[in-house]
mmCIF file of all heavy atoms in Angstrom:
data_model
loop_
_atom_site.group_PDB
_atom_site.id
_atom_site.type_symbol
_atom_site.label_atom_id
_atom_site.label_comp_id
_atom_site.label_asym_id
_atom_site.label_seq_id
_atom_site.Cartn_x
_atom_site.Cartn_y
_atom_site.Cartn_z
ATOM 1 N N THR A 1 0.832 -1.210 0.000
ATOM 2 C CA THR A 1 0.000 0.000 0.000
ATOM 3 C C THR A 1 0.868 1.261 0.000
ATOM 4 O O THR A 1 0.505 2.266 -0.618
ATOM 5 C CB THR A 1 -0.955 0.027 1.205
ATOM 6 O OG1 THR A 1 -0.195 -0.070 2.416
ATOM 7 C CG2 THR A 1 -1.943 -1.132 1.144
ATOM 8 N N THR A 2 2.011 1.189 0.693
ATOM 9 C CA THR A 2 2.932 2.331 0.695
ATOM 10 C C THR A 2 3.548 2.512 -0.685
ATOM 11 O O THR A 2 3.674 3.641 -1.190
ATOM 12 C CB THR A 2 4.040 2.128 1.743
ATOM 13 O OG1 THR A 2 3.454 1.801 2.993
ATOM 14 C CG2 THR A 2 4.881 3.374 1.906
ATOM 15 N N THR A 3 3.921 1.404 -1.310
ATOM 16 C CA THR A 3 4.494 1.463 -2.662
ATOM 17 C C THR A 3 3.497 2.067 -3.642
ATOM 18 O O THR A 3 3.844 2.938 -4.454
ATOM 19 C CB THR A 3 4.900 0.053 -3.128
ATOM 20 O OG1 THR A 3 5.862 -0.480 -2.213
ATOM 21 C CG2 THR A 3 5.498 0.081 -4.521
ATOM 22 N N LYS A 4 2.246 1.636 -3.562
ATOM 23 C CA LYS A 4 1.210 2.155 -4.459
ATOM 24 C C LYS A 4 1.010 3.655 -4.240
ATOM 25 O O LYS A 4 0.897 4.424 -5.197
ATOM 26 C CB LYS A 4 -0.106 1.416 -4.243
ATOM 27 C CG LYS A 4 -1.236 1.863 -5.182
ATOM 28 C CD LYS A 4 -2.507 1.075 -4.943
ATOM 29 C CE LYS A 4 -3.594 1.443 -5.944
ATOM 30 N NZ LYS A 4 -3.938 2.883 -5.921
ATOM 31 N N ALA A 5 0.982 4.066 -2.965
ATOM 32 C CA ALA A 5 0.779 5.485 -2.657
ATOM 33 C C ALA A 5 1.916 6.329 -3.235
ATOM 34 O O ALA A 5 1.685 7.421 -3.759
ATOM 35 C CB ALA A 5 0.677 5.685 -1.152
ATOM 36 N N ALA A 6 3.146 5.806 -3.144
ATOM 37 C CA ALA A 6 4.297 6.539 -3.676
ATOM 38 C C ALA A 6 4.192 6.679 -5.194
ATOM 39 O O ALA A 6 4.404 7.767 -5.750
ATOM 40 C CB ALA A 6 5.589 5.826 -3.286
ATOM 41 N N LYS A 7 3.867 5.597 -5.865
ATOM 42 C CA LYS A 7 3.761 5.632 -7.324
ATOM 43 C C LYS A 7 2.591 6.504 -7.770
ATOM 44 O O LYS A 7 2.693 7.247 -8.756
ATOM 45 C CB LYS A 7 3.631 4.210 -7.865
ATOM 46 C CG LYS A 7 4.914 3.395 -7.691
ATOM 47 C CD LYS A 7 4.763 1.970 -8.217
ATOM 48 C CE LYS A 7 6.075 1.208 -8.084
ATOM 49 N NZ LYS A 7 5.958 -0.199 -8.548
ATOM 50 N N ASP A 8 1.483 6.429 -7.028
ATOM 51 C CA ASP A 8 0.331 7.273 -7.356
ATOM 52 C C ASP A 8 0.668 8.756 -7.199
ATOM 53 O O ASP A 8 0.069 9.614 -7.855
ATOM 54 C CB ASP A 8 -0.862 6.925 -6.460
ATOM 55 C CG ASP A 8 -1.500 5.587 -6.825
ATOM 56 O OD1 ASP A 8 -1.157 5.036 -7.888
ATOM 57 O OD2 ASP A 8 -2.317 5.094 -6.018
ATOM 58 N N ALA A 9 1.628 9.050 -6.295
ATOM 59 C CA ALA A 9 2.046 10.430 -6.073
ATOM 60 C C ALA A 9 3.101 10.879 -7.077
ATOM 61 O O ALA A 9 3.615 11.998 -6.987
ATOM 62 C CB ALA A 9 2.583 10.589 -4.654
ATOM 63 N N GLY A 10 3.406 9.994 -8.020
ATOM 64 C CA GLY A 10 4.366 10.343 -9.068
ATOM 65 C C GLY A 10 5.811 10.155 -8.686
ATOM 66 O O GLY A 10 6.718 10.687 -9.335
ATOM 67 N N LEU A 11 6.057 9.377 -7.613
ATOM 68 C CA LEU A 11 7.420 9.149 -7.161
ATOM 69 C C LEU A 11 8.000 7.878 -7.788
ATOM 70 O O LEU A 11 7.263 6.932 -8.091
ATOM 71 C CB LEU A 11 7.459 9.029 -5.637
ATOM 72 C CG LEU A 11 6.988 10.262 -4.852
ATOM 73 C CD1 LEU A 11 6.910 9.952 -3.374
ATOM 74 C CD2 LEU A 11 7.898 11.456 -5.108
ATOM 75 N N ARG A 12 9.284 7.862 -7.964
ATOM 76 C CA ARG A 12 9.993 6.670 -8.438
ATOM 77 C C ARG A 12 10.405 5.853 -7.212
ATOM 78 O O ARG A 12 11.109 6.343 -6.341
ATOM 79 C CB ARG A 12 11.251 7.089 -9.219
ATOM 80 C CG ARG A 12 12.066 5.916 -9.786
ATOM 81 C CD ARG A 12 13.417 6.374 -10.305
ATOM 82 N NE ARG A 12 14.310 6.800 -9.226
ATOM 83 C CZ ARG A 12 14.655 8.046 -8.968
ATOM 84 N NH1 ARG A 12 14.174 9.054 -9.680
ATOM 85 N NH2 ARG A 12 15.472 8.344 -7.949
ATOM 86 N N VAL A 13 9.953 4.616 -7.148
ATOM 87 C CA VAL A 13 10.305 3.745 -6.018
ATOM 88 C C VAL A 13 11.547 2.942 -6.398
ATOM 89 O O VAL A 13 11.526 2.142 -7.329
ATOM 90 C CB VAL A 13 9.138 2.816 -5.636
ATOM 91 C CG1 VAL A 13 9.554 1.865 -4.516
ATOM 92 C CG2 VAL A 13 7.920 3.640 -5.212
ATOM 93 N N ASP A 14 12.629 3.161 -5.654
ATOM 94 C CA ASP A 14 13.900 2.495 -5.962
ATOM 95 C C ASP A 14 14.076 1.179 -5.220
ATOM 96 O O ASP A 14 14.759 0.280 -5.697
ATOM 97 C CB ASP A 14 15.064 3.431 -5.618
ATOM 98 C CG ASP A 14 15.013 4.720 -6.421
ATOM 99 O OD1 ASP A 14 15.478 4.716 -7.574
ATOM 100 O OD2 ASP A 14 14.478 5.717 -5.902
ATOM 101 N N VAL A 15 13.476 1.071 -4.027
ATOM 102 C CA VAL A 15 13.609 -0.133 -3.212
ATOM 103 C C VAL A 15 12.253 -0.456 -2.611
ATOM 104 O O VAL A 15 11.614 0.415 -2.018
ATOM 105 C CB VAL A 15 14.638 0.046 -2.080
ATOM 106 C CG1 VAL A 15 14.837 -1.272 -1.327
ATOM 107 C CG2 VAL A 15 15.973 0.550 -2.618
ATOM 108 N N GLU A 16 11.822 -1.715 -2.765
ATOM 109 C CA GLU A 16 10.572 -2.181 -2.160
ATOM 110 C C GLU A 16 10.862 -3.316 -1.189
ATOM 111 O O GLU A 16 11.710 -4.171 -1.439
ATOM 112 C CB GLU A 16 9.598 -2.689 -3.230
ATOM 113 C CG GLU A 16 9.121 -1.635 -4.208
ATOM 114 C CD GLU A 16 8.158 -2.204 -5.236
ATOM 115 O OE1 GLU A 16 7.317 -3.057 -4.852
ATOM 116 O OE2 GLU A 16 8.244 -1.808 -6.415
ATOM 117 N N ALA A 17 10.160 -3.337 -0.087
ATOM 118 C CA ALA A 17 10.240 -4.423 0.887
ATOM 119 C C ALA A 17 8.830 -4.618 1.456
ATOM 120 O O ALA A 17 8.009 -3.701 1.400
ATOM 121 C CB ALA A 17 11.244 -4.080 1.991
ATOM 122 N N PRO A 18 8.518 -5.800 1.979
ATOM 123 C CA PRO A 18 9.383 -6.978 2.022
ATOM 124 C C PRO A 18 9.371 -7.751 0.706
ATOM 125 O O PRO A 18 8.420 -7.659 -0.065
ATOM 126 C CB PRO A 18 8.754 -7.803 3.141
ATOM 127 C CG PRO A 18 7.282 -7.460 3.076
ATOM 128 C CD PRO A 18 7.232 -6.005 2.669
ATOM 129 N N THR A 19 10.445 -8.498 0.492
ATOM 130 C CA THR A 19 10.538 -9.435 -0.620
ATOM 131 C C THR A 19 11.049 -10.756 -0.059
ATOM 132 O O THR A 19 11.557 -10.791 1.070
ATOM 133 C CB THR A 19 11.519 -8.927 -1.700
ATOM 134 O OG1 THR A 19 12.845 -8.885 -1.132
ATOM 135 C CG2 THR A 19 11.128 -7.546 -2.199
ATOM 136 N N PRO A 20 10.943 -11.854 -0.815
ATOM 137 C CA PRO A 20 11.481 -13.129 -0.316
ATOM 138 C C PRO A 20 12.963 -13.030 0.058
ATOM 139 O O PRO A 20 13.404 -13.636 1.039
ATOM 140 C CB PRO A 20 11.262 -14.087 -1.488
ATOM 141 C CG PRO A 20 10.090 -13.512 -2.220
ATOM 142 C CD PRO A 20 10.228 -12.026 -2.092
ATOM 143 N N GLU A 21 13.718 -12.244 -0.716
ATOM 144 C CA GLU A 21 15.149 -12.108 -0.446
ATOM 145 C C GLU A 21 15.417 -11.159 0.717
ATOM 146 O O GLU A 21 16.367 -11.341 1.477
ATOM 147 C CB GLU A 21 15.883 -11.591 -1.686
ATOM 148 C CG GLU A 21 15.793 -12.486 -2.909
ATOM 149 C CD GLU A 21 14.461 -12.333 -3.646
ATOM 150 O OE1 GLU A 21 13.765 -11.317 -3.408
ATOM 151 O OE2 GLU A 21 14.114 -13.232 -4.438
ATOM 152 N N CYS A 22 14.574 -10.139 0.856
ATOM 153 C CA CYS A 22 14.770 -9.114 1.887
ATOM 154 C C CYS A 22 13.460 -8.890 2.638
ATOM 155 O O CYS A 22 12.697 -7.966 2.323
ATOM 156 C CB CYS A 22 15.248 -7.808 1.258
ATOM 157 S SG CYS A 22 16.828 -7.932 0.398
ATOM 158 N N PRO A 23 13.168 -9.722 3.632
ATOM 159 C CA PRO A 23 11.892 -9.611 4.335
ATOM 160 C C PRO A 23 11.781 -8.390 5.254
ATOM 161 O O PRO A 23 10.687 -8.042 5.676
ATOM 162 C CB PRO A 23 11.831 -10.909 5.154
ATOM 163 C CG PRO A 23 13.252 -11.349 5.283
ATOM 164 C CD PRO A 23 13.959 -10.898 4.050
ATOM 165 N N SER A 24 12.906 -7.739 5.553
ATOM 166 C CA SER A 24 12.862 -6.558 6.425
ATOM 167 C C SER A 24 13.383 -5.334 5.677
ATOM 168 O O SER A 24 14.109 -5.457 4.684
ATOM 169 C CB SER A 24 13.703 -6.778 7.686
ATOM 170 O OG SER A 24 15.086 -6.790 7.357
ATOM 171 N N ILE A 25 13.044 -4.162 6.182
ATOM 172 C CA ILE A 25 13.499 -2.922 5.539
ATOM 173 C C ILE A 25 15.001 -2.768 5.670
ATOM 174 O O ILE A 25 15.675 -2.267 4.758
ATOM 175 C CB ILE A 25 12.748 -1.703 6.128
ATOM 176 C CG1 ILE A 25 12.793 -0.522 5.148
ATOM 177 C CG2 ILE A 25 13.296 -1.307 7.473
ATOM 178 C CD1 ILE A 25 11.889 -0.635 3.980
ATOM 179 N N THR A 26 15.569 -3.200 6.804
ATOM 180 C CA THR A 26 17.019 -3.053 6.984
ATOM 181 C C THR A 26 17.783 -3.975 6.037
ATOM 182 O O THR A 26 18.834 -3.597 5.511
ATOM 183 C CB THR A 26 17.425 -3.330 8.443
ATOM 184 O OG1 THR A 26 16.844 -4.567 8.883
ATOM 185 C CG2 THR A 26 16.968 -2.207 9.351
ATOM 186 N N MET A 27 17.267 -5.165 5.804
ATOM 187 C CA MET A 27 17.905 -6.060 4.840
ATOM 188 C C MET A 27 17.838 -5.472 3.433
ATOM 189 O O MET A 27 18.805 -5.563 2.665
ATOM 190 C CB MET A 27 17.246 -7.442 4.884
ATOM 191 C CG MET A 27 17.542 -8.228 6.145
ATOM 192 S SD MET A 27 16.716 -9.845 6.167
ATOM 193 C CE MET A 27 17.599 -10.689 4.857
ATOM 194 N N ALA A 28 16.707 -4.853 3.101
ATOM 195 C CA ALA A 28 16.559 -4.236 1.783
ATOM 196 C C ALA A 28 17.527 -3.064 1.621
ATOM 197 O O ALA A 28 18.150 -2.896 0.557
ATOM 198 C CB ALA A 28 15.115 -3.770 1.585
ATOM 199 N N LEU A 29 17.684 -2.264 2.669
ATOM 200 C CA LEU A 29 18.629 -1.144 2.625
ATOM 201 C C LEU A 29 20.058 -1.636 2.456
ATOM 202 O O LEU A 29 20.815 -1.122 1.630
ATOM 203 C CB LEU A 29 18.527 -0.316 3.906
ATOM 204 C CG LEU A 29 17.331 0.623 4.059
ATOM 205 C CD1 LEU A 29 17.371 1.287 5.432
ATOM 206 C CD2 LEU A 29 17.331 1.676 2.973
ATOM 207 N N GLU A 30 20.425 -2.619 3.259
ATOM 208 C CA GLU A 30 21.781 -3.173 3.188
ATOM 209 C C GLU A 30 22.074 -3.717 1.793
ATOM 210 O O GLU A 30 23.139 -3.458 1.214
ATOM 211 C CB GLU A 30 21.932 -4.280 4.237
ATOM 212 C CG GLU A 30 23.181 -5.139 4.104
ATOM 213 C CD GLU A 30 24.479 -4.372 4.310
ATOM 214 O OE1 GLU A 30 24.444 -3.317 4.967
ATOM 215 O OE2 GLU A 30 25.520 -4.828 3.794
ATOM 216 N N ASN A 31 21.117 -4.427 1.230
ATOM 217 C CA ASN A 31 21.301 -5.016 -0.096
ATOM 218 C C ASN A 31 21.459 -3.925 -1.162
ATOM 219 O O ASN A 31 22.318 -4.024 -2.051
ATOM 220 C CB ASN A 31 20.098 -5.909 -0.420
ATOM 221 C CG ASN A 31 20.293 -6.697 -1.703
ATOM 222 O OD1 ASN A 31 21.254 -7.456 -1.823
ATOM 223 N ND2 ASN A 31 19.388 -6.541 -2.649
ATOM 224 N N TYR A 32 20.657 -2.870 -1.070
ATOM 225 C CA TYR A 32 20.707 -1.787 -2.052
ATOM 226 C C TYR A 32 22.030 -1.027 -1.959
ATOM 227 O O TYR A 32 22.674 -0.737 -2.985
ATOM 228 C CB TYR A 32 19.540 -0.836 -1.820
ATOM 229 C CG TYR A 32 19.457 0.306 -2.805
ATOM 230 C CD1 TYR A 32 19.012 0.103 -4.115
ATOM 231 C CD2 TYR A 32 19.809 1.600 -2.426
ATOM 232 C CE1 TYR A 32 18.926 1.160 -5.016
ATOM 233 C CE2 TYR A 32 19.736 2.658 -3.330
ATOM 234 C CZ TYR A 32 19.293 2.427 -4.618
ATOM 235 O OH TYR A 32 19.210 3.475 -5.503
ATOM 236 N N LEU A 33 22.458 -0.691 -0.745
ATOM 237 C CA LEU A 33 23.705 0.044 -0.563
ATOM 238 C C LEU A 33 24.923 -0.783 -0.980
ATOM 239 O O LEU A 33 25.870 -0.266 -1.564
ATOM 240 C CB LEU A 33 23.840 0.487 0.895
ATOM 241 C CG LEU A 33 22.798 1.502 1.373
ATOM 242 C CD1 LEU A 33 22.906 1.723 2.881
ATOM 243 C CD2 LEU A 33 22.954 2.826 0.632
ATOM 244 N N LYS A 34 24.858 -2.072 -0.712
ATOM 245 C CA LYS A 34 25.943 -2.969 -1.134
ATOM 246 C C LYS A 34 26.048 -2.993 -2.659
ATOM 247 O O LYS A 34 27.132 -2.930 -3.222
ATOM 248 C CB LYS A 34 25.685 -4.381 -0.602
ATOM 249 C CG LYS A 34 26.739 -5.410 -0.994
ATOM 250 C CD LYS A 34 26.380 -6.779 -0.458
ATOM 251 C CE LYS A 34 27.393 -7.827 -0.912
ATOM 252 N NZ LYS A 34 27.012 -9.192 -0.431
ATOM 253 N N HIS A 35 24.883 -3.058 -3.308
ATOM 254 C CA HIS A 35 24.852 -3.071 -4.770
ATOM 255 C C HIS A 35 25.405 -1.765 -5.345
ATOM 256 O O HIS A 35 26.152 -1.777 -6.337
ATOM 257 C CB HIS A 35 23.406 -3.298 -5.233
ATOM 258 C CG HIS A 35 23.266 -3.387 -6.737
ATOM 259 N ND1 HIS A 35 23.810 -4.409 -7.481
ATOM 260 C CD2 HIS A 35 22.642 -2.543 -7.623
ATOM 261 C CE1 HIS A 35 23.525 -4.215 -8.755
ATOM 262 N NE2 HIS A 35 22.817 -3.092 -8.862
ATOM 263 N N LEU A 36 25.082 -0.638 -4.718
ATOM 264 C CA LEU A 36 25.613 0.643 -5.180
ATOM 265 C C LEU A 36 27.124 0.697 -5.058
ATOM 266 O O LEU A 36 27.816 1.199 -5.963
ATOM 267 C CB LEU A 36 24.994 1.784 -4.353
ATOM 268 C CG LEU A 36 23.586 2.243 -4.678
ATOM 269 C CD1 LEU A 36 23.211 3.443 -3.809
ATOM 270 C CD2 LEU A 36 23.413 2.600 -6.152
ATOM 271 N N ASN A 37 27.635 0.184 -3.952
ATOM 272 C CA ASN A 37 29.095 0.189 -3.755
ATOM 273 C C ASN A 37 29.803 -0.663 -4.799
ATOM 274 O O ASN A 37 30.890 -0.319 -5.255
ATOM 275 C CB ASN A 37 29.436 -0.320 -2.353
ATOM 276 C CG ASN A 37 29.141 0.705 -1.279
ATOM 277 O OD1 ASN A 37 28.898 1.868 -1.564
ATOM 278 N ND2 ASN A 37 29.154 0.270 -0.021
ATOM 279 N N GLU A 38 29.181 -1.774 -5.165
ATOM 280 C CA GLU A 38 29.791 -2.666 -6.158
ATOM 281 C C GLU A 38 29.829 -2.012 -7.542
ATOM 282 O O GLU A 38 30.712 -2.291 -8.342
ATOM 283 C CB GLU A 38 29.006 -3.977 -6.214
ATOM 284 C CG GLU A 38 29.197 -4.846 -4.973
ATOM 285 C CD GLU A 38 28.296 -6.062 -4.961
ATOM 286 O OE1 GLU A 38 27.379 -6.134 -5.831
ATOM 287 O OE2 GLU A 38 28.474 -6.937 -4.105
#
């Protein structure tokens, strides 16, 4: 619902959680920042 609200507001969503790989927001953040560093 948060993702939908962001997109409806015209925002670009760069990271969504939970996912099977990242069930928590902190795991999603860590994964995204690690990917940026790489």
Side-chain angles (χ1 to χ4, degrees):
T1 57
T2 309
T3 301
K4 182 179 184 302
K7 291 179 178 178
D8 287 349
L11 299 173
R12 181 191 69 252
V13 177
D14 299 277
V15 185
E16 296 180 39
T19 65
E21 299 79 17
C22 299
S24 70
I25 202 75
T26 50
M27 290 179 68
L29 284 177
E30 168 64 23
N31 187 58
Y32 182 75
L33 295 172
K34 179 182 177 182
H35 182 66
L36 282 184
N37 285 348
E38 289 173 350

